[in-house]
Amino acid sequence: MRIVFHGQNAANFIPGFRDLVGPGHEIAGLPDHLAASTDVAAYQAADVIVGIRLDKQLPPLTKIKLYHAPAAGIDAIDPSLLPAGTPVCNCFGHEHAIAEYVMTALLLRHVPIPDADRRLRQGDWHYWGKPAVLRTELGSGTIGLLGFGHIGKAIASRAKAFGMRVTVCNRTAVPPGPLVDQSFMFDRLRDFMASADAIVVSLPHVPETTGFVGAAEIAAMRPTALILNVGRGPVIDETALYDALADKRIGGAIIDTWYQYPTAGNATPQPSRLSFAELDNVVMTPHMSGWTHEMIRRRQQTVAENIRRLAASLPLINCVA
Amino acid sequence: MRIVFHGQNAANFIPGFRDLVGPGHEIAGLPDHLAASTDVAAYQAADVIVGIRLDKQLPPLTKIKLYHAPAAGIDAIDPSLLPAGTPVCNCFGHEHAIAEYVMTALLLRHVPIPDADRRLRQGDWHYWGKPAVLRTELGSGTIGLLGFGHIGKAIASRAKAFGMRVTVCNRTAVPPGPLVDQSFMFDRLRDFMASADAIVVSLPHVPETTGFVGAAEIAAMRPTALILNVGRGPVIDETALYDALADKRIGGAIIDTWYQYPTAGNATPQPSRLSFAELDNVVMTPHMSGWTHEMIRRRQQTVAENIRRLAASLPLINCVA
C-alpha cells in the first residue's frame, strides 16, 4: 500500500509506524500545504491517507481506498470529497491521557503542592496543620461529565476511585451504574449543569454542539463550580464563558480546547479574541490534554490494524463514514 | 466526662466536637506547655485526654480513663506514664487525604499544567502536539508502596484506576489481588525498591523503622524513580536521601514528612539540617498531606465514638496500648 501521512499533525504518527504495519508498504509524510508537484502526485497516488483535514483546497482524490484520521475528531474532514464508498475511520486512545489531565487539574485545586513547595523552601510552614489552611478533598465533590464516550468513561473510573459522585449528561441515555450516580439527557442540560462541582465538557464539535453550553447553561452552574473543556472550544460559547469568569459568577475554568489556534502565519496567537489571559480564575493549556507517547502508540496500532484489514479485505474498525 | 484537648495539634479537633459527642461533657483546650496552675489542675482532672504528646515533662496523671491520639502516629506518647490499664487509642481517616496528595504529586510529574498555563498566557503554545513535548502517562508506570496499611490501600485503589502496576512491601504478608500485582516482605526490601517507578513510604516511625530506607536501599532504586515520604521523616535516612538527590542518582523526591519541625522557639526552621531547599529534584511540603476538613471530621467521629463507648462501658475501637 502507498500510505501518506498528510500534514504536521499526522507526522507525529510516523516514527515507529513502519515496524507496526509490517513490510511491503510505501510510507511518506507530506506537508499541510501541497505546493510541489511531486507532493501533489504522491498525495493523489495514495491508497491510504492519514490526516485530519480534507477540504476543497486540496487536490482531488480518485484512487484512495481509506482515509484515516489519527484523531477522534473528524470535523475538518469532508467525506463528500472522497470517491463514493471510501471509508473514513478515526482513532481513540487519547482517553487515558485526557483523564490524567483532568484529574491533575482538579486535584491541583485541592492540593496546593507547588505553592507549598515554594514556601517551605523559604522556611514557611504555612500549610502545616492549622484550621485556617485546611483543604477539602476532591473525593467529597461531584463531577459532571458532559459527554460520556471514551473520555467521559475514562474520567468516571478515576473519579470513582477518589470517591467522587458522578453525574452524566449524554445525547443517548446512560443508565446509572457503578460509574454513574445520576444521568441526564440533553433535554435536561441545565439541571445537569447544576448537579456538580466540576463540569467536564468532552463533546465533539458538530453543528448541533456549537455554543451548546451557552449563557443560560453557565448561569445554571453552582457559583463555586469549575468548568473544564477538553472537547472542542466552540462547544462552550466564547463570550458567555468569558463573561461568567470575568464577573466571578462561577468558580473557575480549565480550558484546553480553544477558539483560535496557531496558523502558518501566526505561531503564537492568543487562544481567544477575548482576554482570558488577564483572568486569575482560569487555567489555560494549549490543547495538550490528549498528547502522550502512549496515545500516539495506541492510534498507530489502530491505523496499522485497519491497513492490515484493508489489505486482507476484512471489515475495518472505527468507521465513521 | 471531662475531656481535655491538649496542645495545638489537638486544638484542631475541638470546633464542632461538642455537637458530635453529645451533651453532658466538659470540653476544654489546653496549651502544649502547661504553665498555669489552673491548666495543670484541668489536665490532671481529665477523664479523657486528646493529644499527641505524653512525656515526663508533663504533670503526672492518676484519674485518666482514656488517652486518645487524634492521629495515627503515637510515637510521642509514652503509655508507661499512664495508670496501669489505661487504654491508648488512635485515629485514621487521613488516608484519603494523603492518597490525594500522592496522586497530585505524581500526576504533576507527568502533566505540566502550571508551566503550560504560564506559557499560553504569553501566546506560547509549547506543549501543543509536537513529538518533542509529548509526555508519558502516569498509568504506564509502577507504584511501589512501602507499608500497606490504611494509606497504602487508599493509594493503591487510586493508582489501579489509572492503570498502574502496584507493588507492595509490608511487615506482614500481603497476598496479590485486585489492588496488588506483586508483594514483598521486609526481608526483600531491596528487591522491592527496584520494582517501581515511584516508591511511597507510609511506614510509622518506630525504633525498627528508623533509617529503614538507607543508602543501600536507595541505591537499589531505578535511576529515574521517585521516592515519596508521607510516613515519617526518619524512616528514610536523611543523609542517604540528600546525597542520592544531590548526585542525581534517583529521579527525585517528594517529601512531606521531615527531620526538623517548627518549635516554640523557631517557627520557620528549614526542615532538615541538610540543604534540600537548594536541590531542584525535590518537592518539599510541610507535613500537609493528611490535613483536610474531612480528615478532621472522621477523627472527631472516632474520638466521639470511643467516649460514648467509655461512658457505656463498651469495648473501645482503635486501641493501640
Side-chain angles (χ1 to χ4, degrees):
Chain A
M1 297 261 180
R2 292 174 175 177
I3 306 167
V4 162
F5 289 76
H6 174 225
Q8 189 187 335
N9 183 296
N12 290 312
F13 297 86
I14 298 176
F17 187 75
R18 188 178 298 280
D19 290 341
L20 270 179
V21 76
H25 301 287
E26 288 176 30
I27 297 174
L30 296 178
D32 281 290
H33 180 60
L34 300 173
S37 61
T38 49
D39 287 350
V40 171
Y43 183 78
Q44 293 187 305
D47 297 301
V48 177
I49 295 177
V50 179
I52 59 168
R53 184 177 62 87
L54 177 63
D55 58 30
K56 288 180 183 158
Q57 271 70 58
L58 289 160
L61 296 166
T62 57
K63 298 187 177 174
I64 185 169
K65 300 191 182 77
L66 166 62
Y67 194 100
H68 212 310
I74 52 159
D75 38 310
I77 297 169
D78 181 352
S80 75
L81 300 175
L82 294 167
T86 308
V88 176
C89 298
N90 73 347
C91 290
F92 298 96
H94 56 326
E95 60 269 25
H96 303 299
I98 294 178
E100 291 198 356
Y101 169 96
V102 167
M103 296 307 290
T104 306
L106 291 178
L107 282 164
L108 270 173
R109 300 283 298 202
H110 291 264
V111 194
I113 289 178
D115 188 54
D117 177 60
R118 269 190 297 273
R119 288 172 180 266
L120 186 56
R121 286 174 189 271
Q122 315 298 325
D124 175 359
W125 291 67
H126 179 70
Y127 292 101
W128 190 43
K130 292 189 295 286
V133 296
L134 287 178
R135 61 184 204 267
T136 58
E137 293 172 14
L138 176 65
S140 299
T142 298
I143 191 168
L145 303 171
L146 179 49
F148 199 63
H150 292 76
I151 298 170
K153 293 185 180 85
I155 297 169
S157 63
R158 289 159 177 84
K160 270 292 162 201
F162 280 81
M164 297 187 84
R165 195 165 174 274
V166 176
T167 66
V168 162
C169 185
N170 198 51
R171 185 173 53 82
T172 55
V174 175
L179 294 184
V180 177
D181 295 286
Q182 189 178 12
S183 179
F184 302 85
M185 290 180 71
F186 280 178
D187 62 343
R188 292 190 62 208
L189 177 58
R190 292 185 199 173
D191 292 333
F192 162 77
M193 296 297 288
S195 73
D197 302 299
I199 300 286
V200 184
V201 179
S202 65
L203 294 178
H205 183 206
V206 292
E208 308 82 64
T209 61
T210 303
F212 192 60
V213 176
E217 287 71 30
I218 293 173
M221 288 173 64
R222 299 177 181 179
T224 55
L226 302 177
I227 189 163
L228 294 85
N229 197 350
V230 292
R232 285 291 182 271
V235 174
I236 304 181
D237 183 87
E238 190 173 6
T239 302
L241 175 60
Y242 180 83
D243 288 349
L245 290 166
D247 297 348
K248 315 277 186 197
R249 281 185 269 114
I250 59 175
I254 294 151
I255 307 296
D256 189 51
T257 53
W258 286 99
Y259 306 93
Q260 298 177 171
Y261 280 84
T263 61
N266 183 2
T268 59
Q270 282 293 325
S272 166
R273 59 187 170 75
L274 302 170
S275 304
F276 283 92
E278 291 173 17
L279 301 175
D280 63 3
N281 54 355
V282 59
V283 173
M284 306 171 55
T285 59
H287 205 138
M288 67 189 276
S289 61
W291 286 86
T292 61
H293 290 286
E294 291 88 342
M295 176 276 271
I296 297 282
R297 194 70 177 171
R298 293 184 200 111
R299 290 186 176 181
Q300 287 179 321
Q301 286 165 339
T302 299
V303 176
E305 172 67 20
N306 267 337
I307 290 172
R308 276 191 296 272
R309 286 169 175 250
L310 183 67
S313 299
L314 293 170
L316 305 186
I317 56 174
N318 288 16
C319 288
V320 288
Chain B
M1 297 262 180
R2 291 174 175 177
I3 306 165
V4 162
F5 288 77
H6 174 224
Q8 189 186 334
N9 183 297
N12 290 312
F13 298 86
I14 299 176
F17 187 76
R18 188 178 299 279
D19 290 342
L20 270 179
V21 76
H25 301 288
E26 288 177 30
I27 297 174
L30 297 178
D32 281 290
H33 181 60
L34 300 173
S37 60
T38 49
D39 287 349
V40 171
Y43 182 79
Q44 293 188 304
D47 297 300
V48 177
I49 295 177
V50 180
I52 59 169
R53 185 177 61 86
L54 177 63
D55 57 31
K56 289 180 182 158
Q57 271 69 58
L58 288 160
L61 295 167
T62 56
K63 297 187 176 174
I64 185 170
K65 300 190 183 76
L66 166 63
Y67 193 100
H68 212 310
I74 52 159
D75 37 309
I77 298 168
D78 181 352
S80 74
L81 300 174
L82 295 166
T86 307
V88 176
C89 298
N90 73 348
C91 290
F92 299 96
H94 56 325
E95 60 270 26
H96 302 300
I98 294 177
E100 292 198 356
Y101 169 96
V102 167
M103 296 306 290
T104 307
L106 291 178
L107 282 164
L108 270 173
R109 299 283 299 202
H110 292 264
V111 194
I113 289 178
D115 188 53
D117 177 60
R118 271 190 296 273
R119 288 172 179 265
L120 187 56
R121 285 174 189 270
Q122 315 298 325
D124 175 357
W125 290 68
H126 181 69
Y127 292 101
W128 190 42
K130 292 188 297 284
V133 296
L134 288 179
R135 62 186 203 265
T136 58
E137 293 172 14
L138 175 64
S140 300
T142 299
I143 191 168
L145 304 170
L146 180 49
F148 198 64
H150 293 75
I151 297 170
K153 293 184 180 85
I155 297 169
S157 63
R158 288 159 179 83
K160 270 292 164 202
F162 280 81
M164 297 187 84
R165 194 164 175 277
V166 177
T167 65
V168 162
C169 186
N170 200 52
R171 185 173 51 82
T172 55
V174 174
L179 293 184
V180 177
D181 295 286
Q182 189 178 12
S183 179
F184 302 84
M185 290 179 70
F186 280 178
D187 62 343
R188 291 191 61 207
L189 176 58
R190 291 183 200 175
D191 292 333
F192 163 77
M193 295 297 288
S195 73
D197 303 297
I199 300 286
V200 184
V201 179
S202 65
L203 294 178
H205 184 207
V206 293
E208 307 83 62
T209 61
T210 303
F212 192 59
V213 176
E217 287 71 29
I218 293 173
M221 288 173 64
R222 300 177 181 179
T224 55
L226 303 176
I227 190 164
L228 294 84
N229 197 351
V230 292
R232 284 292 182 268
V235 173
I236 304 181
D237 183 87
E238 190 173 6
T239 302
L241 175 60
Y242 179 84
D243 288 349
L245 289 167
D247 297 347
K248 315 277 186 198
R249 280 186 270 114
I250 60 175
I254 294 150
I255 307 296
D256 189 51
T257 52
W258 286 99
Y259 306 93
Q260 298 178 169
Y261 280 85
T263 60
N266 183 3
T268 59
Q270 282 294 325
S272 167
R273 59 186 172 75
L274 302 170
S275 303
F276 283 93
E278 291 173 17
L279 301 175
D280 63 2
N281 54 355
V282 59
V283 172
M284 306 171 54
T285 59
H287 205 138
M288 67 189 277
S289 61
W291 286 85
T292 61
H293 290 286
E294 290 88 342
M295 176 277 270
I296 297 282
R297 195 66 176 173
R298 294 183 199 110
R299 291 186 175 179
Q300 287 180 320
Q301 286 165 339
T302 299
V303 176
E305 172 67 20
N306 267 338
I307 290 172
R308 275 192 296 271
R309 286 169 175 250
L310 183 68
S313 300
L314 293 170
L316 305 186
I317 57 174
N318 289 15
C319 288
V320 287

